[in-house]
Amino acid sequence: MQKFAVGQAVRRVEDERFLKGEGRYVDDIVLDNMAHAAFVRSPFAHAKIGKIDISAAAAMPGVIRLLTYKDVKKAGLGAFPTLTAVDGVDENGIAVPDRFALTGDVARFVGDPVVMVIAETAAQAQLAAEAVMVDYTDKPAVVDLATVLDKKTKPIHSKLKSNRAYHFHKGDETGVDKAVGAAAHVTRLTFVNNRVAPSAVEPRGSIGDYDQARDQLVLYVSGQAVHGQKGQMADAIFKVPPEKVRVVMPDVGGGFGAKNFVYPENVMVMLAAKLIGRPVKWIAQRSENFLSEIHGRDHLTTAELALDEDGNFTALKVDTRANMGAYLSSYATIIPTSASWVSMGGNYRIASISMSVDAVFTNTVPVDAYRGAGRPESAYLIERLVDLAAFET
């Protein structure tokens, strides 16, 4: 019998302990003298942050410390990194607004973390978080993809001239336009590929610890991409050699791409552990997970499929406005662009394809890779067009 043949069964060794309920997830980990964290999040999609009054919360039972943007800056933490090497982006490049582990003067989406509360128990931390008073001044929220680039729509990031993050193009635009003009029939469709929100069985969770003897930050996290997260946090955020950051991923109750990335909460538990000299655990509530974990897709697309007299597909033209949310997540830039381009047109024979994308900022949760990441969007697009072309012809 051939070893490692195609289709050969591979014996699984992990199932028995899961079936016995002996899995070990982040919330199962209890470290000595561990504290717990909760976050105060913006209830506004867009608001200026004024005074933050933590006095009442600080005096509540079990509260150890509260952290704000000032503490993040005092610790010297850098902004979150994002991938900017995307082939096909025009000469203007990619606009990358700074995003820090806690937000400072402006909240830019519902769920944006403003204050971290550390207490002896999770319940005490949550009660204290509810006692924090934040002075918000509501600002107009930008959420409509159809008008996000209009001149009358103000940028959600004051340092930018517009809400465009970048423009991307791939393909033979001239050839496609010529084929569309000469086509016997053109099927046109404008449609929304709706925003989706992950909901794994296990919500996100993390524990920060600090190994003083090794001067090493340690993160236990329900996650994916262990080496990617370690590298990004060491290089860009904590600005330390890679050996000074250790990332441990125990059993994970679902991820589907959404746990690939560096998140504010993961950074904050590490910082908090170093500041208070104790491990700090945070486990997301289900509703909190919905507000703070990356979302997927959210595209407004206009597409044209050109056909000759025999029904052959001669050209495909795609123009998409892709919602990036309030900030660029770790790999968000490649999802509606190169990840989508590689499967554009599906398995149909199409002589020429042109694809353009305007990626934009809005006052919504940032998006990134989730469930196929770019390829489902392409598949949905071409199958909608082919179905419509069949009805029309």
Side-chain angles (χ1 to χ4, degrees):
M1 182 177 177
Q2 185 178 355
K3 190 176 183 181
F4 306 128
V6 173
Q8 180 179 324
V10 178
R11 181 173 175 81
R12 291 167 58 95
V13 297
E14 69 271 29
D15 292 352
E16 184 175 352
R17 63 189 179 87
F18 286 136
L19 291 170
K20 291 180 177 179
E22 295 174 354
R24 189 169 184 258
Y25 300 88
V26 168
D27 205 20
D28 296 319
I29 298 173
V30 179
L31 302 181
D32 291 342
N33 201 28
M34 188 168 66
H36 297 263
F39 288 87
V40 178
R41 301 181 183 276
S42 171
F44 295 96
H46 199 192
K48 182 176 177 57
I49 298 173
K51 182 181 179 181
I52 300 176
D53 186 355
I54 62 173
S55 57
M60 293 181 69
V63 173
I64 300 166
R65 186 164 178 175
L66 290 92
L67 301 176
T68 67
Y69 173 75
K70 291 181 180 179
D71 297 289
V72 171
K73 294 301 290 183
K74 185 178 179 180
L77 300 193
F80 282 38
T82 191
L83 183 66
T84 56
V86 181
D87 182 35
V89 171
D90 69 14
E91 67 277 3
N92 295 313
I94 297 175
V96 185
D98 285 343
R99 183 189 188 187
F100 295 94
L102 292 176
T103 194
D105 57 343
V106 178
R108 291 187 172 88
F109 64 94
V110 175
D112 210 353
V114 179
V115 181
M116 179 188 198
V117 182
I118 310 160
E120 296 293 345
T121 70
Q124 288 172 333
Q126 187 60 47
L127 283 173
E130 294 170 6
V132 173
M133 301 300 293
V134 182
D135 183 14
Y136 296 103
T137 302
D138 196 9
K139 295 164 66 76
V142 176
V143 295
D144 184 4
L145 283 181
T147 61
V148 64
L149 292 179
D150 290 356
K151 290 184 178 179
K152 64 181 180 180
T153 303
K154 293 183 178 180
I156 69 169
H157 295 281
S158 59
K159 293 182 180 180
L160 301 182
K161 294 180 180 179
S162 77
N163 285 310
R164 183 182 281 107
Y166 59 87
H167 178 78
F168 167 93
H169 179 263
K170 281 280 192 178
D172 179 12
E173 188 170 19
T174 301
V176 166
D177 286 341
K178 184 177 179 180
V180 169
H185 178 81
V186 179
T187 291
R188 294 181 174 88
L189 180 64
T190 296
F191 62 95
V192 171
N193 196 320
N194 61 277
R195 176 175 285 247
V196 292
S199 185
V201 173
E202 179 197 20
R204 287 191 303 115
S206 54
I207 302 171
D209 198 6
Y210 177 63
D211 186 333
Q212 190 169 11
R214 293 178 175 159
D215 186 27
Q216 185 182 60
L217 294 156
V218 182
L219 176 69
Y220 299 84
V221 61
S222 175
Q224 302 167 258
V226 59
H227 297 290
Q229 291 199 40
K230 167 190 167 77
Q232 290 179 63
M233 287 188 292
D235 294 343
I237 299 176
F238 289 101
K239 303 173 187 176
V240 295
E243 63 270 17
K244 296 297 183 181
V245 176
R246 179 178 177 229
V247 178
V248 181
M249 291 184 185
D251 295 329
V252 177
F256 311 106
K259 292 179 180 177
N260 262 323
F261 319 112
V262 176
Y263 281 101
E265 299 87 358
N266 300 347
V267 172
M268 288 306 299
V269 294
M270 297 168 77
L271 174 62
K274 185 173 182 179
L275 291 177
I276 71 170
R278 296 172 57 178
V280 178
K281 175 189 279 189
W282 168 76
I283 301 295
Q285 300 176 26
R286 181 66 62 184
S287 57
E288 183 182 25
N289 207 68
F290 180 80
L291 294 175
S292 62
E293 192 167 35
I294 64 100
H295 290 174
R297 304 175 195 178
D298 200 354
H299 295 173
L300 177 63
T301 297
T302 297
E304 296 177 304
L305 182 65
L307 294 80
D308 66 16
E309 293 179 351
D310 296 320
N312 296 304
F313 303 150
T314 60
L316 171 65
K317 185 173 184 177
V318 178
D319 290 296
T320 292
R321 190 165 287 183
N323 194 347
M324 297 287 99
Y327 299 95
L328 292 178
S329 181
S330 301
Y331 305 106
T333 52
I334 68 169
I335 308 309
T337 56
S338 50
S340 224
W341 169 251
V342 295
S343 57
M344 187 58 63
N347 52 359
Y348 297 96
R349 181 183 297 167
I350 305 174
S352 298
I353 298 178
S354 174
M355 173 186 167
S356 295
V357 178
D358 277 316
V360 296
F361 294 114
T362 66
N363 294 117
T364 58
V365 177
V367 303
D368 211 312
Y370 175 57
R371 298 296 296 195
R375 276 80 74 181
E377 293 90 314
S378 293
Y380 179 58
L381 182 154
I382 190 62
E383 297 302 338
R384 285 289 309 277
L385 278 174
V386 170
D387 277 353
L388 184 57
F391 280 115
E392 290 177 347
T393 58

